[in-house]
Amino acid sequence: GAVVSQHPSRVICKSGTSVKIECRSLDFQATTMFWYRQFPKQSLMLMATSNEGSKATYEQGVEKDKFLINHASLTLSTLTVTSAHPEDSSFYICSARGRGGPPDTQYFGPGTRLTVL
Amino acid sequence: EDQVTQSPEALRLQEGESSSLNCSYTVSGLRGLFWYRQDPGKGPEFLFTLYSAGEEKEKERLKATLTKKESFLHITAPKPEDSATYLCAVQEGGNYGQNFVFGPGTRLSVLP
């Protein structure tokens, strides 16, 4: 149980294009989803938190107009990196928290490697 | 400000050589402490949740313990497949929905 999927697992795009990453909770309802980014050999850095049907809450320093988050249902959240630039290249990981299992536990997706040329 | 530190930064063990990883935290009130395992290029895999001092959880060769200031992840007779980065995260008490604060991780290498 508590499986979270992400798609795509890897994406390469040209500078200036937009990229959408999907995060799905496969066997539970995710009341809250989180988006993180991780640079090589560093820990996870929280970008934003989204609750189903509400606007996302962004961490300080994260541009909400650049990283668009939509949490349209209890099983799906999307992160769109708009007008991506090489400095946006990173490993993006989502997590989901929901009903069932140990309270407050976040279950993570496998991550999406974004490379912007 | 909430802080989470982990030590050592990296640990190299021989297969079968037991050891412990440390996670120290400072929060105004702990709601939960979480251990994850992360393999290179993958998302973190949930291991344990601990809620109160004195609590212990076990899974195969791993055992997590919690005190008021720190948590230990004990690895008994590790195998090469235990090689990974181990992350701890704390959640502050109070309002439901407080975000995790992650530690920097311990990179464990188990040599055959």
Side-chain angles (χ1 to χ4, degrees):
Chain A
V3 177
V4 177
S5 70
Q6 271 185 252
H7 178 80
S9 58
R10 185 180 298 265
V11 59
I12 301 173
C13 68
K14 292 182 179 180
S15 184
T17 60
S18 294
V19 175
K20 179 184 282 189
I21 302 170
E22 289 188 352
C23 176
R24 293 182 185 272
S25 58
L26 299 185
D27 53 1
F28 67 103
Q29 293 183 323
T31 51
T32 306
M33 284 185 167
F34 304 83
W35 287 95
Y36 296 82
R37 64 189 298 182
Q38 186 176 35
F39 292 104
K41 295 190 177 181
Q42 293 188 22
S43 194
L44 285 75
M45 187 175 72
L46 180 66
M47 300 175 64
T49 303
S50 73
N51 294 296
E52 186 263 340
S54 303
K55 287 185 178 180
T57 301
Y58 290 81
E59 294 300 298
Q60 193 171 10
V62 178
E63 301 175 57
K64 59 182 179 181
D65 294 331
K66 181 168 187 62
F67 299 100
L68 302 179
I69 291 172
N70 183 278
H71 191 165
S73 75
L74 283 172
T75 59
L76 174 64
S77 177
T78 60
L79 168 68
T80 301
V81 184
T82 61
S83 187
H85 292 284
E87 57 266 28
D88 298 323
S89 298
S90 187
F91 192 51
Y92 291 87
I93 312 174
C94 73
S95 72
R97 182 176 67 200
R99 306 181 183 117
D104 302 328
T105 298
Q106 294 182 29
Y107 297 94
F108 286 83
T112 297
R113 173 76 58 193
L114 171 63
T115 302
V116 184
L117 302 176
Chain B
E1 182 181 327
D2 298 344
Q3 283 201 348
V4 181
T5 59
Q6 290 186 247
S7 62
E9 181 178 329
L11 179 62
R12 183 173 290 192
L13 300 173
Q14 288 296 132
E15 184 172 4
E17 180 186 1
S18 302
S19 188
S20 295
L21 313 182
N22 175 268
C23 171
S24 296
Y25 61 90
T26 54
V27 293
S28 58
L30 182 71
R31 182 177 176 88
L33 186 142
F34 305 81
W35 281 99
Y36 291 86
R37 167 197 170 123
Q38 186 176 26
D39 293 301
K42 297 187 178 180
E45 174 190 343
F46 171 69
L47 294 174
F48 303 110
T49 306
L50 301 166
Y51 294 105
S52 56
E55 190 174 0
E56 297 182 353
K57 294 275 180 72
E58 281 189 73
K59 180 180 178 181
E60 296 180 356
R61 295 179 292 281
L62 300 177
K63 179 180 177 180
T65 61
L66 181 65
T67 71
K68 289 186 177 180
K69 294 183 178 180
E70 58 191 348
S71 175
F72 291 94
L73 184 65
H74 307 277
I75 303 177
T76 301
K79 297 181 178 181
E81 52 262 41
D82 295 321
S83 298
T85 295
Y86 290 85
L87 300 168
C88 76
V90 299
Q91 185 178 29
E92 188 178 14
N95 297 330
Y96 175 78
Q98 284 285 345
N99 298 329
F100 283 10
V101 177
F102 274 92
T106 293
R107 292 193 308 279
L108 174 66
S109 299
V110 182
L111 306 176

